[in-house]
Coordinates of all heavy atoms in Angstrom, one line a residue:
I1 N 221.5 -5.1 48.2 CA 220.2 -5.0 47.6 C 220.3 -5.0 46.0 O 219.4 -5.6 45.4 CB 219.5 -3.7 48.0 CG1 218.0 -3.7 47.6 CG2 220.2 -2.5 47.6 CD1 217.2 -2.6 48.2
I2 N 221.4 -4.5 45.5 CA 221.6 -4.5 44.0 C 221.8 -6.0 43.6 O 221.2 -6.4 42.6 CB 222.8 -3.7 43.7 CG1 222.5 -2.2 43.8 CG2 223.2 -4.0 42.2 CD1 223.6 -1.3 43.5
N3 N 222.5 -6.8 44.4 CA 222.7 -8.2 43.9 C 221.3 -8.9 43.9 O 221.0 -9.7 43.1 CB 223.6 -8.9 45.0 CG 225.1 -8.4 44.7 OD1 225.4 -8.0 43.7 ND2 225.9 -8.4 45.8
A4 N 220.5 -8.5 45.0 CA 219.2 -9.2 45.1 C 218.3 -8.7 43.9 O 217.5 -9.6 43.3 CB 218.6 -8.8 46.4
Q5 N 218.5 -7.5 43.6 CA 217.6 -6.9 42.4 C 218.1 -7.5 41.1 O 217.3 -7.8 40.3 CB 217.7 -5.4 42.4 CG 217.0 -4.7 43.6 CD 217.3 -3.3 43.7 OE1 218.1 -2.8 42.9 NE2 216.6 -2.6 44.6
K6 N 219.3 -7.7 41.0 CA 219.9 -8.3 39.7 C 219.3 -9.8 39.6 O 218.9 -10.2 38.6 CB 221.4 -8.4 39.8 CG 222.1 -7.0 39.5 CD 223.6 -7.2 39.5 CE 224.2 -5.8 39.2 NZ 225.7 -6.0 39.3
N7 N 219.4 -10.5 40.7 CA 218.9 -11.8 40.7 C 217.4 -11.9 40.4 O 216.9 -12.7 39.6 CB 219.1 -12.6 42.0 CG 220.6 -12.8 42.3 OD1 221.4 -12.9 41.3 ND2 221.0 -12.8 43.6
L8 N 216.7 -11.0 41.0 CA 215.3 -10.8 40.8 C 215.0 -10.5 39.3 O 214.1 -11.0 38.7 CB 214.6 -9.8 41.7 CG 213.1 -9.6 41.5 CD1 212.4 -10.9 42.0 CD2 212.7 -8.5 42.4
A9 N 215.8 -9.5 38.7 CA 215.6 -9.2 37.3 C 215.9 -10.3 36.4 O 215.1 -10.6 35.4 CB 216.6 -8.0 37.0
I10 N 217.0 -11.1 36.7 CA 217.3 -12.2 35.9 C 216.1 -13.3 36.0 O 215.7 -13.8 34.9 CB 218.6 -12.9 36.3 CG1 219.8 -11.9 36.1 CG2 218.8 -14.3 35.8 CD1 221.1 -12.4 36.7
F11 N 215.6 -13.5 37.2 CA 214.5 -14.4 37.4 C 213.3 -13.9 36.5 O 212.6 -14.7 35.9 CB 214.2 -14.6 38.8 CG 212.9 -15.4 39.0 CD1 212.9 -16.8 39.0 CD2 211.7 -14.8 39.3 CE1 211.7 -17.5 39.2 CE2 210.6 -15.4 39.5 CZ 210.6 -16.9 39.5
F12 N 213.0 -12.6 36.7 CA 211.8 -12.1 35.9 C 212.0 -12.3 34.4 O 211.1 -12.6 33.7 CB 211.8 -10.6 36.3 CG 210.6 -9.8 35.6 CD1 209.3 -10.0 36.1 CD2 210.8 -9.1 34.5 CE1 208.2 -9.4 35.4 CE2 209.7 -8.4 33.9 CZ 208.5 -8.6 34.4
I13 N 213.3 -12.0 33.9 CA 213.5 -12.1 32.5 C 213.4 -13.6 32.0 O 212.7 -13.8 31.0 CB 214.9 -11.5 32.1 CG1 214.9 -10.0 32.3 CG2 215.2 -11.8 30.7 CD1 216.3 -9.4 32.2
V14 N 213.9 -14.4 32.7 CA 213.9 -15.8 32.4 C 212.4 -16.3 32.4 O 211.9 -17.0 31.6 CB 214.7 -16.7 33.3 CG1 214.5 -18.2 33.1 CG2 216.2 -16.4 33.2
Y15 N 211.6 -15.9 33.5 CA 210.3 -16.3 33.6 C 209.5 -15.7 32.4 O 208.7 -16.5 31.9 CB 209.7 -15.8 34.9 CG 208.2 -15.8 35.0 CD1 207.6 -17.0 35.3 CD2 207.4 -14.6 34.7 CE1 206.2 -17.1 35.3 CE2 206.0 -14.8 34.8 CZ 205.4 -16.0 35.1 OH 204.1 -16.0 35.2
I16 N 209.7 -14.5 32.0 CA 208.9 -13.9 30.8 C 209.3 -14.6 29.6 O 208.4 -15.0 28.8 CB 209.3 -12.4 30.7 CG1 208.7 -11.6 31.9 CG2 208.7 -11.8 29.4 CD1 207.2 -11.7 32.1
L17 N 210.6 -15.0 29.3 CA 211.0 -15.7 28.2 C 210.3 -17.1 28.2 O 209.8 -17.5 27.1 CB 212.5 -15.9 28.1 CG 213.3 -14.6 27.9 CD1 214.8 -14.9 28.0 CD2 213.0 -13.9 26.6
F18 N 210.4 -17.8 29.2 CA 209.6 -19.1 29.3 C 208.1 -18.9 29.0 O 207.5 -19.7 28.3 CB 209.9 -19.7 30.6 CG 211.2 -20.6 30.6 CD1 212.3 -20.2 31.2 CD2 211.2 -21.8 29.9 CE1 213.5 -20.9 31.3 CE2 212.4 -22.6 30.0 CZ 213.5 -22.2 30.5
F19 N 207.6 -17.9 29.7 CA 206.1 -17.6 29.5 C 205.8 -17.3 28.1 O 204.8 -17.8 27.5 CB 205.7 -16.5 30.4 CG 204.2 -16.4 30.5 CD1 203.5 -17.1 31.4 CD2 203.5 -15.4 29.7 CE1 202.1 -17.0 31.4 CE2 202.2 -15.3 29.8 CZ 201.4 -16.1 30.6
I20 N 206.6 -16.4 27.4 CA 206.3 -16.1 26.0 C 206.5 -17.3 25.1 O 205.7 -17.6 24.2 CB 207.3 -15.0 25.6 CG1 206.9 -13.6 26.3 CG2 207.2 -14.8 24.0 CD1 207.8 -12.5 26.0
A21 N 207.6 -18.1 25.4 CA 207.8 -19.3 24.6 C 206.6 -20.3 24.7 O 206.1 -20.9 23.8 CB 209.1 -20.0 25.1
G22 N 206.1 -20.4 25.9 CA 204.9 -21.3 26.2 C 203.7 -20.7 25.5 O 202.9 -21.5 24.9
L23 N 203.5 -19.3 25.5 CA 202.4 -18.8 24.9 C 202.5 -19.0 23.4 O 201.4 -19.3 22.8 CB 202.4 -17.3 25.2 CG 201.2 -16.5 24.6 CD1 199.8 -17.0 25.1 CD2 201.3 -15.0 24.9
I24 N 203.7 -18.8 22.8 CA 203.8 -19.0 21.4 C 203.5 -20.4 21.0 O 202.9 -20.8 20.0 CB 205.2 -18.6 20.9 CG1 205.4 -17.1 21.1 CG2 205.5 -19.1 19.5 CD1 206.8 -16.6 20.8
Q25 N 204.0 -21.4 21.9 CA 203.7 -22.8 21.6 C 202.2 -23.1 21.6 O 201.6 -23.8 20.7 CB 204.4 -23.7 22.7 CG 204.2 -25.2 22.5 CD 204.6 -25.7 21.2 OE1 205.6 -25.3 20.6 NE2 203.9 -26.8 20.7
V26 N 201.5 -22.5 22.6 CA 200.0 -22.7 22.7 C 199.3 -22.1 21.5 O 198.5 -22.7 20.9 CB 199.4 -22.0 24.0 CG1 197.9 -22.1 24.0 CG2 200.1 -22.9 25.2
C27 N 199.8 -20.9 21.1 CA 199.1 -20.2 20.0 C 199.4 -21.0 18.7 O 198.6 -21.1 17.8 CB 199.7 -18.7 19.9 SG 199.1 -17.7 21.1
Y28 N 200.6 -21.5 18.6 CA 201.0 -22.3 17.4 C 200.2 -23.6 17.3 O 199.7 -23.9 16.3 CB 202.5 -22.7 17.5 CG 203.0 -23.5 16.3 CD1 203.2 -22.9 15.0 CD2 203.2 -24.9 16.4 CE1 203.7 -23.7 14.0 CE2 203.6 -25.6 15.3 CZ 203.8 -25.0 14.2 OH 204.3 -25.8 13.1
S29 N 199.9 -24.3 18.4 CA 199.1 -25.4 18.4 C 197.6 -25.1 18.1 O 197.0 -25.8 17.3 CB 199.1 -26.1 19.8 OG 200.5 -26.5 20.2
L30 N 197.2 -24.0 18.7 CA 195.8 -23.5 18.4 C 195.7 -23.2 16.9 O 194.7 -23.5 16.2 CB 195.4 -22.3 19.3 CG 195.0 -22.6 20.7 CD1 194.9 -21.3 21.4 CD2 193.7 -23.4 20.7
R31 N 196.7 -22.5 16.4 CA 196.6 -22.1 14.9 C 196.7 -23.3 14.1 O 195.8 -23.3 13.1 CB 197.9 -21.3 14.7 CG 198.0 -20.8 13.2 CD 199.3 -20.1 13.1 NE 199.6 -19.8 11.6 CZ 200.2 -20.6 10.8 NH1 200.6 -21.8 11.2 NH2 200.4 -20.2 9.5
N32 N 197.5 -24.3 14.3 CA 197.5 -25.5 13.5 C 196.1 -26.2 13.6 O 195.6 -26.7 12.5 CB 198.6 -26.4 13.9 CG 200.0 -26.0 13.5 OD1 200.1 -25.1 12.6 ND2 201.0 -26.5 14.0
S33 N 195.5 -26.3 14.8 CA 194.3 -27.0 14.9 C 193.1 -26.2 14.2 O 192.4 -26.8 13.6 CB 194.0 -27.1 16.4 OG 194.9 -27.9 17.1
F34 N 193.2 -24.9 14.4 CA 192.2 -24.1 13.7 C 192.3 -24.2 12.1 O 191.4 -24.4 11.4 CB 192.4 -22.6 14.0 CG 191.5 -22.2 15.1 CD1 192.0 -21.8 16.4 CD2 190.1 -22.1 15.0 CE1 191.2 -21.5 17.5 CE2 189.3 -21.8 16.1 CZ 189.8 -21.4 17.3
N35 N 193.6 -24.2 11.6 CA 193.8 -24.3 10.2 C 193.3 -25.7 9.7 O 192.8 -25.7 8.5 CB 195.3 -24.1 9.9 CG 195.7 -22.7 10.0 OD1 194.9 -21.8 10.1 ND2 197.0 -22.4 10.1
K36 N 193.7 -26.8 10.4 CA 193.2 -28.1 10.0 C 191.7 -28.2 9.9 O 191.1 -28.7 9.0 CB 193.8 -29.2 10.9 CG 195.2 -29.4 10.8 CD 195.7 -30.4 11.7 CE 197.2 -30.7 11.6 NZ 197.7 -31.8 12.5
L37 N 191.1 -27.6 11.0 CA 189.6 -27.6 11.1 C 189.0 -26.8 9.9 O 188.1 -27.1 9.3 CB 189.1 -27.1 12.4 CG 187.6 -27.0 12.7 CD1 187.0 -28.4 12.5 CD2 187.3 -26.4 14.0
E38 N 189.7 -25.6 9.6 CA 189.2 -24.7 8.5 C 189.3 -25.4 7.2 O 188.4 -25.4 6.4 CB 190.0 -23.4 8.5 CG 189.6 -22.4 7.5 CD 190.5 -21.3 7.4 OE1 191.7 -21.4 7.6 OE2 190.0 -20.1 7.2
D39 N 190.5 -26.1 7.0 CA 190.7 -26.8 5.8 C 189.6 -27.9 5.5 O 189.0 -28.1 4.4 CB 192.0 -27.5 5.6 CG 193.1 -26.4 5.6 OD1 192.8 -25.3 5.2 OD2 194.3 -26.7 6.0
S40 N 189.3 -28.6 6.7 CA 188.3 -29.6 6.5 C 186.9 -29.0 6.2 O 186.1 -29.5 5.4 CB 188.2 -30.4 7.9 OG 189.5 -31.1 8.1
V41 N 186.5 -28.0 7.0 CA 185.2 -27.3 6.8 C 185.1 -26.7 5.4 O 184.1 -26.9 4.7 CB 185.0 -26.2 7.9 CG1 183.8 -25.4 7.5 CG2 184.8 -26.8 9.2
I42 N 186.2 -26.1 4.8 CA 186.1 -25.7 3.5 C 185.9 -26.9 2.4 O 185.2 -26.6 1.5 CB 187.5 -24.9 3.1 CG1 187.5 -23.6 3.9 CG2 187.6 -24.6 1.6 CD1 188.8 -22.8 3.8
A43 N 186.6 -27.9 2.7 CA 186.4 -29.1 1.8 C 185.0 -29.6 1.8 O 184.4 -29.9 0.8 CB 187.4 -30.2 2.2

C-alpha cells in the first residue's frame, strides 16, 4: 500500500506541477494580451 501511495503521490505532484505550469502559461498569455490591449487603448 505504501508503494501504491508513493506512486499516487508522485502522480499527484507531477499533475499539480503540470497544472500550475499550464495555469501560469495561460495567465502569462492573458497578461500579455491585456497589456497590449491596454497600451492600444491608452494610445
